[in-house]
Amino acid sequence: MTSPNPVTLFTGQWVDLPLEEVARRAAEWGYDGLELACSGQHLDVWRAAEDPAYLADRKRILDDHGLQLHAISNHLTGQAVCDDPIDFRHQAIVRDRVWGDGDAEGVRQRAAEELRLTARVARALGVDTVVGFTGSAIWPYVAMFPPVPDSVIDAGYEDFAARWNPILDAFDAEGVRFALEVHPSEIAYDHWTSVRALEAIDHRQAFGFNWDPSHMLWQGIDPVSFITEFADRIFHVDCKDTRLRRRNGRNGILSSHLPWGDPRRAWDFVSTGHGDVPWEDSFRALRVIGYIGPVSIEWEDAGTDRFHGAAEAVGFVRSLLWPLPAGRFDQAFAQNV
């Protein structure tokens, strides 16, 4: 039995290259498809919604290289939906059409509009899942000092619900799901904030999670337990690894504003298979919950060339997608001989 999970490449770290080149390389490396980022020139949601010829050209590029499309990702614009403050960081990651005059609430509203368009574009592409971020009005208070009243945190989840319920209405209308990547700076960044985010939107079926263990690992969250405890909400899987360094009494998990790759850091993102994520346990758990969606490789590694890392990772991931047994191993004991 072959694996039901296509292995795809997330293009978010490759948008400086033409989609044609990324598709060609991914096919040569042995990927089944792409997780197409709605950034750079890989997929412009506004243009895709307005220009059928542009959308057809995106499809053609994948088809020409024999690549599948199971998910598109709009992380960067999603970040601006709930964030407060909106500032120079957002101007650097959203399109000019979303930034406009930079008025914070205007940016949030235009970002929400782009997310609604993303659901329409996903359906036009035959895609059922959009991966992304939500932003968060309360992430700046993560240290909880100076003291933050409970009412402020409550208001942050209410703000998330007020801004994302209309977006999810658009997703429902298109039969598309949104998979939040559980990640610091989002409304859900660990186990309990994921629980609270689901409660805030009354467990709407259109909202679930993109399981990316790299962000959980450095926080001390068990990525395997996350799979089993949110089994019905694992809509997509991203494979990115984290390497934990031995604590020496000086380096902590907040990383001291040190740059990626600095040996003084307590942890770093590394190419899939080179870190401390318990990949085999994770893949076994994904099999147990019946996950049959794409397994998407995300390259982020300050110490490895991306062409090397992406080419190597596909083989590592495929080695974990071994065939499942046709039946239980102990069935043979019950047979009469």
Side-chain angles (χ1 to χ4, degrees), residues 76-306:
L76 302 185
T77 305
Q79 187 68 44
V81 173
C82 286
D83 265 7
D84 188 7
I86 296 289
D87 56 27
F88 63 94
R89 299 166 301 161
H90 302 83
Q91 185 175 14
I93 64 173
V94 301
R95 296 189 184 278
D96 291 343
R97 189 162 181 170
V98 172
W99 182 255
D101 61 3
D103 172 73
E105 186 56 28
V107 172
R108 295 185 192 102
Q109 293 296 330
R110 290 185 291 274
E113 183 180 358
E114 181 173 315
L115 264 295
R116 291 191 290 271
L117 282 179
T118 304
R120 285 175 44 196
V121 170
R123 176 49 55 220
L125 287 166
V127 167
D128 296 327
T129 304
V130 172
V131 183
F133 290 151
T134 58
S136 171
I138 52 177
W139 175 252
Y141 308 127
V142 67
M144 298 296 280
F145 188 86
V148 180
D150 290 347
S151 60
V152 172
I153 305 304
D154 294 342
Y157 283 96
E158 291 166 5
D159 177 75
F160 157 67
R163 294 183 186 279
W164 275 88
N165 271 322
I167 295 171
L168 295 173
D169 288 343
F171 275 72
D172 281 337
E174 300 294 344
V176 177
R177 307 179 302 179
F178 182 79
L180 167 63
E181 184 170 330
V182 178
H183 183 294
S185 79
E186 310 312 320
I187 197 66
Y189 57 88
D190 62 9
H191 175 95
W192 295 115
T193 54
S194 296
V195 169
R196 183 128 189 217
L198 289 171
E199 292 173 347
I201 56 170
D202 199 25
H203 295 84
R204 290 187 62 154
Q205 291 302 305
F207 185 88
F209 301 122
N210 176 50
W211 179 81
D212 180 338
S214 64
H215 310 291
M216 300 179 194
L217 201 68
W218 68 261
Q219 294 182 81
I221 306 303
D222 179 7
V224 181
S225 294
F226 193 94
I227 292 170
T228 57
E229 293 182 37
F230 294 98
D232 65 334
R233 297 290 172 156
I234 305 298
F235 291 171
H236 192 266
V237 166
D238 267 2
C239 290
K240 189 171 74 176
D241 217 336
T242 296
R243 192 178 192 87
L244 303 175
R245 301 196 178 112
R246 185 173 61 84
R247 303 284 159 75
N248 59 15
R250 295 188 297 274
N251 52 1
I253 64 170
L254 297 184
S255 296
S256 307
H257 297 293
L258 295 170
W260 301 114
D262 191 305
R264 294 171 294 174
R265 290 176 59 91
W267 59 274
D268 254 310
F269 295 133
V270 294
S271 293
T272 304
H274 287 274
D276 295 302
V277 169
W279 289 112
E280 182 171 332
D281 289 346
S282 298
F283 274 71
R284 286 180 181 271
L286 288 168
R287 295 292 186 85
V288 167
I289 69 167
Y291 178 77
I292 59 172
V295 174
S296 190
I297 292 170
E298 181 177 3
W299 173 87
E300 285 187 6
D301 189 331
T304 301
D305 176 80
R306 62 179 171 176

